[in-house]
Amino acid sequence: MLSMLCVAATSALAQLRIEITEGVVAPTPIAIANFTGADGVETDEGRLIASIIANDLVSSGLFEPIDEAAFIAPPGSPSIKPNFANWAPLGAKGLLVGSAELDENGKLQVEFVLWDVVTERDLTSGAGSADPDAMRQLSHKIADLVYEEFTGDTGYFDTQIVYVAEAGSQTRRVKRLAIMDQDGHNHKFLTSGLDLVLTPRFSPTTQEIAYLNFFNDEPNVYIQDIRSGRSERLGSFPGMTFAPRFGPKGDRLIMSWAKDEDGASDIYEMDLRTQEIRQLTNSRAIDTAPSYSPDGKRVVFESNRAGRQQIYTMTSNGKNVQRISYGEGRYATPVWSPRGDIIAFTKMHRGTFYIGVMNVDGTGERLLAEGFLVEGPTWAPNGRVLMYFKQEPFTNDGDGGEAALY
């Protein structure tokens, strides 16, 4: 159990925000002191919390924690104002100090202060309590606050990832729905592996997951509540090629569905309140992999209506279809950024897979990753970080095939 983390933030008189579109952004040097106990001595819990926070910030690529070997007399308590003369020569822009120890009831009590070393003022502070098994979540919340103070963007460290975990040989793969923290910890399975599961997607509240479950070789759409573990079957959709995605308000799902035997699929929308289904596209091509824009007014999807897989957009009622990808190769699995400014995609060209992004009108294409099999990009809630799936090839004797999330 994690209690409310109370935060008091100090606002600046004025804030200048610059959107960087080109060049190299140097990571912000930050000092993260191990959290201490009431006696000013580092605690085991305090060292672990500081380590989790540092790892979160490093993973963003925007921060560079300073080696603690260079620290000179860190404050023994968050209530003590630092001697900034000890920190400015290290190049530190920020200093995070805190306390963490178990009370007589076994509860973890945590307090912290984030200091701006340049202006010598506290940026934000807070205190909270948690069961020891919620230590990682509390640490992620503090890392989010540090991220937000220095970037102006919403943090994403206190989030989870839902995915399909595979095991077994190449010919006997077992796929189970699984969930974990964004840093790979607190992993647990949500399904048994008896049925094939595919393409899980979070709802906007992140408390529900929509996914495709094959039972007796028949595809069914399910919604699972993470907290209770209960699953609800929305219906059977023979021929569906992709599990549905939620709309931005969580009240509708969008999906591809191949009703006819010719294998062509169209885009459909389901109202979750009435379970009424509406067809959005009607072509002889394969229209699939739909994703809403953040405001729900537009949809991006892939289609081979031009002869090979390309990316298209349309309004949410299925009108004004426009092709936006014109590069070499084939384009697939487009996903609209939560910020609404760019679209991520998978690209296949000359036997190589790529993960890329482009503007919503198709301009500014950039390829970010490549490999034997990289696909399925998905966005962090703040629209600043991408995750994708990567698999290595199997060898002739059936070994290999390792897959991972990046």
Side-chain angles (χ1 to χ4, degrees), residues 319-398:
K319 307 296 183 182
N320 301 319
V321 176
Q322 297 179 342
R323 176 178 168 180
I324 64 171
S325 64
Y326 288 92
E328 295 181 333
R330 295 176 291 131
Y331 293 77
T333 63
V335 188
W336 216 303
S337 163
R339 301 173 67 90
D341 53 349
I342 53 180
I343 292 169
F345 57 86
T346 303
K347 181 175 182 175
M348 297 145 281
H349 181 51
R350 294 180 177 177
T352 300
F353 282 70
Y354 301 87
I355 299 296
V357 294
M358 63 174 64
N359 298 327
V360 296
D361 61 359
T363 61
E365 178 178 321
R366 290 179 289 152
L367 300 180
L368 307 177
E370 65 178 274
F372 164 74
L373 178 57
V374 293
E375 62 177 350
T378 187
W379 290 99
N382 68 354
R384 287 298 192 192
V385 179
L386 268 178
M387 176 171 283
Y388 61 91
F389 168 88
K390 181 178 180 180
Q391 182 173 340
E392 300 298 335
F394 282 96
T395 61
N396 292 334
D397 57 7

Side-chain angles (χ1 to χ4, degrees), residues 21-43:
T21 58
E22 296 181 3
V24 177
V25 180
T28 299
I30 184 170
I32 303 173
N34 291 326
F35 286 22
T36 62
D39 56 3
V41 178
E42 298 173 1
T43 62

Side-chain angles (χ1 to χ4, degrees), residues 25-353:
V25 180
T28 299
I30 184 170
I32 303 173
N34 291 326
F35 286 22
T36 62
D39 56 3
V41 178
E42 298 173 1
T43 62
D44 291 340
E45 296 82 10
R47 281 188 286 269
L48 180 56
I49 289 173
S51 175
I52 294 170
I53 294 170
N55 289 337
D56 281 346
L57 296 176
V58 169
S59 71
S60 72
L62 300 178
F63 294 87
E64 183 180 5
I66 296 170
D67 189 339
E68 64 178 285
F71 293 179
I72 301 175
S77 167
S79 63
I80 300 175
K81 188 172 183 178
N83 180 357
F84 292 103
N86 292 336
W87 302 98
L90 302 179
K93 303 302 181 185
L95 169 63
L96 179 68
V97 297
S99 61
E101 59 184 344
L102 298 175
D103 64 17
E104 63 276 8
N105 298 315
K107 288 282 189 178
L108 178 66
Q109 302 294 333
V110 176
E111 186 178 354
F112 72 93
V113 178
L114 175 64
W115 295 92
D116 185 321
V117 175
V118 177
T119 63
E120 300 187 3
R121 65 183 181 89
D122 62 311
L123 296 174
T124 187
S125 61
S129 65
D131 291 335
D133 58 4
M135 183 187 305
R136 299 195 68 89
Q137 185 182 8
L138 193 149
S139 303
H140 294 320
K141 288 181 178 294
I142 297 174
D144 280 336
L145 293 170
V146 176
Y147 181 94
E148 291 165 8
E149 285 295 334
F150 279 94
T151 69
D153 278 322
T154 303
Y156 63 93
F157 304 121
D158 182 30
T159 59
Q160 293 181 298
I161 299 164
V162 62
Y163 63 103
V164 175
E166 297 188 21
S169 65
Q170 184 178 4
T171 56
R172 295 175 63 94
R173 303 294 282 177
V174 176
K175 297 186 177 183
R176 288 186 286 179
L177 203 63
I179 194 170
M180 64 182 175
D181 294 348
Q182 58 81 30
D183 62 352
H185 288 267
N186 293 330
H187 169 277
K188 67 177 180 178
F189 293 112
L190 301 178
T191 58
S192 66
L194 295 177
D195 301 326
L196 174 66
V197 292
L198 296 173
T199 51
R201 313 293 185 195
F202 272 118
S203 71
T205 65
T206 70
Q207 296 304 316
E208 294 178 314
I209 298 169
Y211 65 99
L212 193 62
N213 181 306
F214 279 83
F215 179 70
N216 291 333
D217 294 327
E218 183 176 274
N220 297 269
V221 174
Y222 280 81
I223 290 182
Q224 182 171 110
D225 186 285
I226 297 175
R227 290 167 294 190
S228 67
R230 291 193 298 268
S231 295
E232 176 187 359
R233 178 179 174 272
L234 294 182
S236 176
F237 300 86
M240 181 180 291
T241 55
F242 265 79
R245 288 184 183 272
F246 285 93
K249 294 182 179 180
D251 59 349
R252 50 182 167 157
L253 296 172
I254 196 166
M255 65 190 79
S256 62
W257 188 7
K259 281 186 173 182
D260 302 325
E261 296 181 356
D262 60 5
S265 61
D266 285 296
I267 308 297
Y268 292 80
E269 182 181 72
M270 172 186 281
D271 188 314
L272 290 177
R273 295 163 297 187
T274 64
Q275 295 198 1
E276 178 182 352
I277 297 176
R278 180 172 61 139
Q279 185 171 352
L280 300 182
T281 66
N282 186 6
S283 71
R284 296 181 179 179
I286 297 176
D287 297 339
T288 187
S291 172
Y292 287 106
S293 62
D295 60 8
K297 295 181 180 180
R298 299 170 70 190
V299 173
V300 63
F301 64 100
E302 70 175 80
S303 175
N304 67 351
R305 61 181 63 193
R308 61 181 180 180
Q309 290 167 278
Q310 298 291 337
I311 298 177
Y312 294 78
T313 61
M314 63 182 176
T315 53
S316 59
N317 60 2
K319 307 296 183 182
N320 301 319
V321 176
Q322 297 179 342
R323 176 178 168 180
I324 64 171
S325 64
Y326 288 92
E328 295 181 333
R330 295 176 291 131
Y331 293 77
T333 63
V335 188
W336 216 303
S337 163
R339 301 173 67 90
D341 53 349
I342 53 180
I343 292 169
F345 57 86
T346 303
K347 181 175 182 175
M348 297 145 281
H349 181 51
R350 294 180 177 177
T352 300
F353 282 70

